[in-house]
Amino acid sequence: MQHCQQAIYVTDNHCADCGEKLNEKPQLLSVEDIHPAVLDKLKKISPDAQMLTGIIKSMFYYKRQYKNANDNMLYGFWWLEVEDKNGVMHQFNIDAEKEILADLKKGDTITVFQPTQLFLTHKIATKEAKRKVLNNDFYPIVTAHFASSQRRSWDSAVNDKYQGSTGLWFIISLVMMIGLLCFTELEFLHATLLTLPVLIGILFMEIRRNKKEKLKKYTFYNYAKEVAEQILSTSKHQLGYDRLSRAHTNADIMCSGCQKRISSEALHCYECGEKQPHNTSDSPEKTAHLSSNNEHVAHVTKPSSIAELETELMREFSSEYNNTYTHKNILGRNESGKIFHQTMLGKVIDKSQDAKSSQSERTVTRTYTTETYRGGVHVDTNETVHTDTYRNRHTSLSGELTLSTASGKIYTLNASEDIIGSVDLGDWIFYAYSNLETTHYNERYREYCHNITKQLNYQSSSVTEFSMSKGVGLTILLGIIAAACTAYFEPRDYFRAMREFLPANTLGQLEQYPFILDNIHFFPIALFCLFILLVAPIAAIYTMINSSRLGRSVSKLKKMISKFQREYESVAQRISKLN
């Protein structure tokens, strides 16, 4: 659909060429609009069947847990917010572990299908997820409509397996038999003859019921497959979502009237219809004629592009620098290297993610032996074998975020699960980190991370927490040696060594201190304690020196973080206008 020479999008209110208000615009459709009878057959046997077509507005990754004495199972899910064609927001859960949906992102068009109502029953694993996830609705069949293809995820909860039971006939017959024997004077044979016809009748009824239910389950599954195939055959173009809104470009500008984001090539704002002064249609000849008659001609300058405004904002809160650093050690070599610090305000322009799960089983067999005695004589032995199976299941999400930054370069962030699971395309993130590199260490610290778009603050650490354990290991080793010598050597061993290595006058002086000679076997422990008393104050001084150096190194970065926190409201408002 076009107006003048411009393609029209669903979100347009005015023509970008002439500024005229649009009375006809492309319409968004659902799969049910294109195939009105798509659910008719399925709803005859499953009235709760439903589907939803819309665009993903937000994604949040979380876990659910099933735990008992033998099992500890974790499962990953996406909590989605999807906007349908009428602008109504829907919230529900889908499986996050399906590889086929690994590329699902904010802005993608999806159709979710629920052949019958399904709810998640496992408990939500974390407090943060409990605040975010508002219901247990689960859609097992998810179709993503991409520009040139469709992809579908199918959960095993929808299947054609039927597990029937023919035990009802036996239970009813047994109850009837017991009743006849207990409350009548009938003998066993007569009670059996009376019960047998009832038993056979109920058995055949049960078999017939199972056949009917199995056929119903099979029909339900086939109808669900037919619906899913029709969804899969429906393209993004058929649904109209390829014309939902104009793609953002780096050349986009702010409308001079309503201050909404528009294309720099638009003659009129397609939001409010106002003519854009930088794209005047006056000819150069007309402008020259006006100038020759000394008429005032306004000099119209092209407004800054959105990309320029974004870069300007990013530059205000971006910095990077490095310092040399030497970590002092009392019982080892000093560790020298550099600490690299960087803060950045960036916008997420791409996202890749990968969910992985693993499961392990462990079988433990225990044998319990019971011996029976009578009158002190062993008469019997009974062994009971008990087998337990313990299951553990883990799931995780990893991935990378691609950020546009103030330098114009693309920055790739290897994001942890908490970040990758909550960040969407278009989100603005303030990220600060320190990277310490020495001869033997390469440590990265997330000093600060905040999602401005989602108003989420992530867990952080600091390079000031860096420490080394060389001296600790040596101290523990010396302590073990001192304890071993104290336990192994006897006092006479020390006296023999003293007579061999110490002068006679020194030995004579020691005899004046009987307390020392009586406790000479504690000599290694005493020596170790003396070592600790000498080393501890020096180690404390070195710790203060190292802490002070790290603090000075990170101080500039901390100031930038403080600046961001002070101006947060202003930054959020500026970002809101740019979007």
Side-chain angles (χ1 to χ4, degrees), residues 509-529:
Q509 292 177 359
L510 284 175
E511 289 177 357
Q512 298 177 17
Y513 303 96
F515 175 78
I516 296 176
L517 297 178
D518 291 343
N519 297 281
I520 193 65
H521 57 289
F522 288 112
F523 176 72
I525 291 293
L527 192 62
F528 176 73
C529 291

Side-chain angles (χ1 to χ4, degrees), residues 44-46 210-222:
K44 290 179 181 179
I45 57 175
S46 179
N210 282 331
K211 285 184 177 179
K212 186 177 179 181
E213 290 298 320
K214 185 176 181 180
L215 178 61
K216 184 178 179 181
K217 182 68 180 287
Y218 182 74
T219 304
F220 163 81
Y221 181 72
N222 281 333

Side-chain angles (χ1 to χ4, degrees), residues 261 306-314 347 428 578:
R261 181 172 187 152
I306 295 291
E308 291 171 337
L309 295 173
E310 288 180 344
T311 301
E312 181 183 345
L313 175 58
M314 292 173 181
K347 183 179 180 181
W428 282 71
L578 292 173

Side-chain angles (χ1 to χ4, degrees), residues 355-423:
K356 293 181 179 179
S357 62
S358 62
Q359 184 171 326
S360 61
E361 289 189 5
R362 180 171 57 94
T363 302
V364 177
T365 302
R366 298 180 180 90
T367 303
Y368 301 93
T369 303
T370 304
E371 295 183 346
T372 305
Y373 292 84
R374 289 196 185 99
V377 179
H378 177 265
V379 295
D380 188 27
T381 299
N382 184 33
E383 285 191 352
T384 303
V385 178
H386 188 76
T387 301
D388 287 313
T389 300
Y390 298 91
R391 298 185 304 164
N392 280 281
R393 190 180 194 277
H394 300 279
T395 184
S396 61
L397 184 72
S398 59
E400 293 180 343
L401 297 177
T402 304
L403 305 177
S404 62
T405 62
S407 64
K409 296 179 180 178
I410 299 302
Y411 182 84
T412 301
L413 174 64
N414 291 314
S416 56
E417 186 176 278
D418 59 339
I419 296 179
I420 198 73
S422 60
V423 169

Side-chain angles (χ1 to χ4, degrees), residues 251-313:
D252 288 351
I253 59 171
M254 304 284 278
C255 167
S256 58
C258 65
Q259 295 298 302
K260 294 293 181 66
R261 181 172 187 152
I262 62 171
S263 168
S264 61
E265 302 300 321
L267 299 177
H268 293 78
C269 173
Y270 30 80
E271 182 70 27
C272 67
E274 181 161 327
K275 187 175 182 180
Q276 301 304 300
H278 65 280
N279 278 338
T280 178
S281 58
D282 289 344
S283 65
E285 292 81 5
K286 181 178 180 181
T287 303
H289 174 70
L290 292 173
S291 299
S292 63
N293 289 314
N294 297 320
E295 294 187 19
H296 175 69
V297 178
H299 178 65
V300 178
T301 59
K302 190 171 183 178
S304 299
S305 68
I306 295 291
E308 291 171 337
L309 295 173
E310 288 180 344
T311 301
E312 181 183 345
L313 175 58

Side-chain angles (χ1 to χ4, degrees), residues 327-554:
H327 192 91
K328 294 183 71 64
N329 287 304
I330 188 171
L331 297 178
R333 291 183 178 179
N334 291 342
E335 195 77 16
S336 297
K338 285 188 176 182
I339 307 177
F340 181 79
H341 303 282
Q342 184 170 10
T343 64
M344 67 181 76
L345 180 61
K347 183 179 180 181
V348 180
I349 58 174
D350 197 10
K351 175 184 177 182
S352 63
Q353 58 209 15
D354 182 28
K356 293 181 179 179
S357 62
S358 62
Q359 184 171 326
S360 61
E361 289 189 5
R362 180 171 57 94
T363 302
V364 177
T365 302
R366 298 180 180 90
T367 303
Y368 301 93
T369 303
T370 304
E371 295 183 346
T372 305
Y373 292 84
R374 289 196 185 99
V377 179
H378 177 265
V379 295
D380 188 27
T381 299
N382 184 33
E383 285 191 352
T384 303
V385 178
H386 188 76
T387 301
D388 287 313
T389 300
Y390 298 91
R391 298 185 304 164
N392 280 281
R393 190 180 194 277
H394 300 279
T395 184
S396 61
L397 184 72
S398 59
E400 293 180 343
L401 297 177
T402 304
L403 305 177
S404 62
T405 62
S407 64
K409 296 179 180 178
I410 299 302
Y411 182 84
T412 301
L413 174 64
N414 291 314
S416 56
E417 186 176 278
D418 59 339
I419 296 179
I420 198 73
S422 60
V423 169
D424 288 318
L425 293 184
D427 284 3
W428 282 71
I429 292 177
F430 179 72
Y431 184 72
Y433 74 93
S434 300
N435 197 80
L436 185 145
E437 293 183 8
T438 66
T439 308
H440 300 99
Y441 291 86
N442 189 343
E443 303 284 346
R444 189 184 183 94
Y445 297 87
R446 186 202 295 171
E447 301 279 354
Y448 188 81
C449 184
H450 185 84
N451 186 330
I452 304 166
T453 308
K454 295 276 195 336
Q455 297 182 1
L456 289 175
N457 209 38
Y458 301 102
Q459 188 176 3
S460 61
S461 58
S462 178
V463 71
T464 55
E465 300 166 8
F466 175 73
S467 63
M468 298 173 60
S469 57
K470 287 182 178 179
V472 175
L474 180 58
T475 303
I476 292 173
L477 179 61
L478 291 175
I480 293 171
I481 293 173
C485 290
T486 301
Y488 180 76
F489 293 110
E490 296 181 0
R492 64 173 179 269
D493 297 320
Y494 295 102
F495 289 131
R496 189 182 304 116
M498 289 165 60
R499 284 193 295 270
E500 185 171 347
F501 294 104
L502 295 179
N505 59 343
T506 303
L507 290 173
Q509 292 177 359
L510 284 175
E511 289 177 357
Q512 298 177 17
Y513 303 96
F515 175 78
I516 296 176
L517 297 178
D518 291 343
N519 297 281
I520 193 65
H521 57 289
F522 288 112
F523 176 72
I525 291 293
L527 192 62
F528 176 73
C529 291
L530 180 62
F531 168 77
I532 293 297
L533 289 173
L534 292 174
V535 168
I538 303 174
I541 293 171
Y542 279 14
T543 299
M544 288 189 290
I545 292 172
N546 293 332
S547 179
S548 176
R549 289 176 177 176
L550 292 170
R552 288 196 301 272
S553 179
V554 80

